[in-house]
Amino acid sequence: MQEFSLSFPASIEPAMRAAAAPAASYLAGGTNIIDLMKIGVASPAQLVDLGTPADLDRSIVTTPDGLRLGSGVTMAQAADHPDVKRLLPAVAESLRLAASPQLRNMATLGGNLLQRTRCGYFRDTDWQACNKRAPGSGCAALDGVNRRHAVLGTSPSCIATYPGDLAVALAALEAELELRLPCGASRRLAVEKLHRLPGDTPHLETELEPGTLITALFVPTRAWFWRSTYLKIRDRQSYDFALASAAVALDLDGGVVREARVGLGGIATKPWRSREAEAALAGQVLGEASARRAADAALADAEPRPANRFRVELARRTLVRALLSLGGANHA
Amino acid sequence: MDIVLHVNGRRVALSVEPRTSLLDLLREHVGLTGCKKGCDLGQCGACTVLVNGRRVLSCLTLAARLGQAEITTIEGLAGHDGTLHPLQQAFLDHDAFQCGYCTPGQILSALGCIREGHAGSDDEIRDYMSGNLCRCAAYPNIVAAIRSARPLLEDA
């Protein structure tokens, strides 16, 4: 691992000052960046420990409008929190089904949202062509082993999948981030807008300017969000990234969908909200046919490659199964 | 950087590079080789230890961040008289290993799993132990060992 310095700020203000230095990076749970430093993909000159600032929010607060989760809360704490489980099942399940218990004990919510892709060509520096790691170098995945690469939101420059689960659920439920900008100002940003499409600049992954700190996540708790779920399909039954996943919430009136929220994971270059699927469901009787129409709408723009073509249909079926699971007898 | 840790109840004062992982610190500097280096990338669980009571991956933990932390490794589980911890005894009784390389991590992770309240059923044990790989595939016996040790630890 390349040499770096490590600082332990006592509060957020000096942390942000330290993070303003060139090639500085925040260190939260460390589960992603330490891994990337070991394999030579990340090489910050300075890490700023977010474990030490006393004023970094590590609490979960339930308000009448929603849940406010500090960015320093761990994935395990949020997954096991009674209000998250009760009011936002899709969020709790997206966390429980992510990573391993050890990683969830370490990783924070703020850091998890910024998890980097698992694309093998990004992670293996022996491959020279990776526009995300080395801008302008090409993309070895386009004609490489791309069974797990994205089918939505791709570009000729990059087809790397966004690997996370939590952000998919948060994007679907219209969660917002509370940010502290380097200039000192605070700002809110919809989770849906946090990540960029790769376009011809896949190395620019988010809308955060360097040094910005995610201080909290706010998830609205609409009364019907209790009827939500996160379904994740993997090669293994546990501890694996999604081949396809669906975050769904339904407002049902009898058997009719008043409103729907749909997010898709594991198949897109960013956390994917499908307004097309939501529109296809609105006003329809929830059933096999309407769920299938929503799934067709969600995947209409898919651009698969031969090795990942199966995941278009897998994603459709994942969404159908997630939707129908919310209309079953247990949820009536 | 100078750090002070508490490893298995013993105070340890050391000078380390910022990049030293807790795993390397324990194995190379403290002489506790029970925690194992498998992948060294947070994927296999062989390096699992408890930090302040919670199971974490020591390979992805920078030692310099752990000032004053309480670390528990496999060497810290048995009693002073050598009596095995109930989980260690259960792993023996249920033949929950073959080569044994992953076992220290499995046992520390199992301790965390039970303390977190996620060992309620065999399915739950399997899900909440999925971060610990066993290439000998002793999984059925690992689940049996944890299931049998759970009541002993809950009463303790």
Side-chain angles (χ1 to χ4, degrees), chain A residues 113-115 132 150 152-155 158-162 167 187 189-210 268-272:
Chain A
L113 298 178
L114 302 178
Q115 180 178 17
K132 194 182 269 300
L152 287 172
T154 59
S155 80
C158 185
I159 58 171
T161 304
Y162 174 78
R187 179 190 161 206
L189 175 69
V191 171
E192 196 184 351
K193 294 188 173 151
L194 171 63
H195 290 86
R196 303 166 56 130
L197 288 169
D200 53 9
T201 55
H203 60 292
L204 302 175
E205 297 182 350
T206 73
E207 296 293 341
L208 304 183
E209 65 173 298
T269 53
K270 58 172 275 183
W272 200 260

Side-chain angles (χ1 to χ4, degrees), chain B residues 2-154:
Chain B
D2 296 327
I3 57 166
V4 176
L5 311 172
H6 298 273
V7 183
N8 300 329
R10 186 163 65 92
R11 183 177 181 277
V12 176
L14 283 169
S15 189
V16 297
E17 283 280 336
R19 59 186 150 178
T20 304
S21 68
L22 174 59
L23 173 62
D24 284 343
L25 176 122
L26 290 169
R27 291 182 58 85
E28 310 295 335
H29 301 271
V30 187
L32 296 174
T33 54
C35 60
K36 295 292 186 276
K37 185 178 281 193
C39 68
D40 206 24
L41 292 174
Q43 298 176 7
C44 75
C47 68
T48 302
V49 299
L50 303 185
V51 173
N52 296 327
R54 293 183 314 144
R55 50 178 164 161
V56 302
L57 300 172
S58 60
C59 75
L60 292 183
T61 302
L62 296 182
R65 302 181 80 187
L66 293 177
Q68 300 302 327
E70 300 276 352
I71 318 291
T72 305
T73 72
I74 191 73
E75 291 90 344
L77 290 191
H80 293 300
D81 61 354
T83 308
L84 293 182
H85 184 277
L87 267 167
Q88 292 175 306
Q89 189 61 50
F91 268 63
L92 282 174
D93 294 344
H94 291 270
D95 195 18
F97 48 82
Q98 184 175 305
C99 81
Y101 194 81
C102 72
T103 309
Q106 297 277 3
I107 290 178
L108 269 304
S109 190
L111 187 53
C113 179
I114 293 170
R115 283 185 182 165
E116 292 159 14
H118 288 305
S121 66
D122 285 5
D123 278 348
E124 193 179 24
I125 291 171
R126 273 189 282 271
D127 193 16
Y128 280 84
M129 288 296 293
S130 64
N132 292 81
L133 306 187
C134 171
R135 297 330 296 170
C136 308
Y139 296 115
N141 297 3
I142 292 170
V143 172
I146 296 170
R147 186 203 309 133
S148 74
R150 181 174 59 96
L152 303 174
L153 293 171
E154 285 174 345

Side-chain angles (χ1 to χ4, degrees), chain A:
Chain A
M1 195 190 295
Q2 181 190 299
E3 257 187 273
F4 60 90
S5 64
L6 184 55
S7 64
F8 301 102
S11 64
I12 287 176
E13 208 169 300
M16 295 198 65
R17 272 202 306 276
S25 180
Y26 291 118
L27 175 64
T31 54
N32 197 202
I33 196 168
I34 302 294
D35 171 39
L36 292 172
M37 288 163 70
K38 286 189 177 196
I39 61 177
V41 172
S43 51
Q46 188 188 354
L47 289 180
V48 181
D49 193 339
L50 290 180
T52 48
D55 51 349
L56 186 78
D57 194 342
R58 301 175 185 86
S59 68
I60 299 176
V61 178
T62 308
T63 74
D65 309 326
L67 287 185
R68 188 174 181 284
L69 303 107
S71 63
V73 170
T74 66
M75 293 174 75
Q77 286 167 341
D80 282 336
H81 193 278
D83 284 353
V84 180
K85 290 201 282 195
R86 183 170 58 89
L87 301 169
L88 301 165
V91 173
E93 290 162 18
S94 76
L95 289 161
R96 179 176 62 80
L97 296 171
S100 71
Q102 292 96 318
L103 291 165
R104 297 196 295 270
N105 274 344
M106 302 169 72
T108 65
L109 301 183
N112 177 257
L113 298 178
L114 302 178
Q115 180 178 17
R116 313 290 301 276
T117 184
R118 305 300 294 186
C119 171
Y121 302 98
F122 171 75
R123 288 177 56 83
D124 185 344
T125 56
D126 284 347
W127 291 92
Q128 295 190 346
C130 174
N131 288 319
K132 194 182 269 300
R133 175 163 43 77
S137 61
C139 174
L142 291 174
D143 296 309
V145 176
N146 49 34
R147 175 177 177 269
R148 305 189 72 134
H149 285 69
V151 298
L152 287 172
T154 59
S155 80
S157 296
C158 185
I159 58 171
T161 304
Y162 174 78
D165 298 296
L166 171 64
V168 175
L170 293 183
L173 299 184
E174 298 183 338
E176 290 186 321
L177 302 177
E178 296 176 20
L179 306 176
R180 185 84 70 86
L181 308 182
C183 65
S186 295
R187 179 190 161 206
R188 285 172 87 106
L189 175 69
V191 171
E192 196 184 351
K193 294 188 173 151
L194 171 63
H195 290 86
R196 303 166 56 130
L197 288 169
D200 53 9
T201 55
H203 60 292
L204 302 175
E205 297 182 350
T206 73
E207 296 293 341
L208 304 183
E209 65 173 298
T212 300
L213 185 66
I214 300 173
T215 51
L217 294 58
F218 181 82
V219 197
T221 46
R222 309 273 300 263
W224 47 279
F225 280 0
W226 67 268
R227 193 192 301 270
S228 69
T229 191
Y230 189 80
L231 177 64
K232 183 175 179 182
I233 304 300
R234 299 172 269 193
D235 280 330
R236 301 192 289 226
Q237 197 166 0
S238 185
Y239 192 20
D240 201 355
F241 294 93
L243 289 174
S245 70
V248 294
L250 291 178
D251 183 8
L252 288 181
D253 181 4
V256 177
V257 178
R258 264 195 295 244
E259 226 180 309
R261 294 279 185 277
V262 175
L264 297 171
I267 58 157
T269 53
K270 58 172 275 183
W272 200 260
R273 179 177 176 189
S274 178
R275 292 169 191 275
E276 297 81 0
E278 293 171 7
L281 286 162
Q284 302 296 307
V285 174
L286 179 66
E288 191 100 33
S290 60
R292 184 71 203 184
R293 281 196 299 275
D296 287 342
L299 276 300
D301 293 333
E303 291 187 14
R305 305 193 158 252
N308 66 14
R309 189 172 302 278
F310 76 100
R311 289 181 35 253
V312 176
E313 179 60 13
L314 184 66
R316 288 194 198 105
R317 294 185 190 186
T318 304
L319 177 54
V320 168
R321 202 169 110 194
L323 288 167
L324 295 181
S325 77
L326 293 183
N330 293 339
H331 289 85

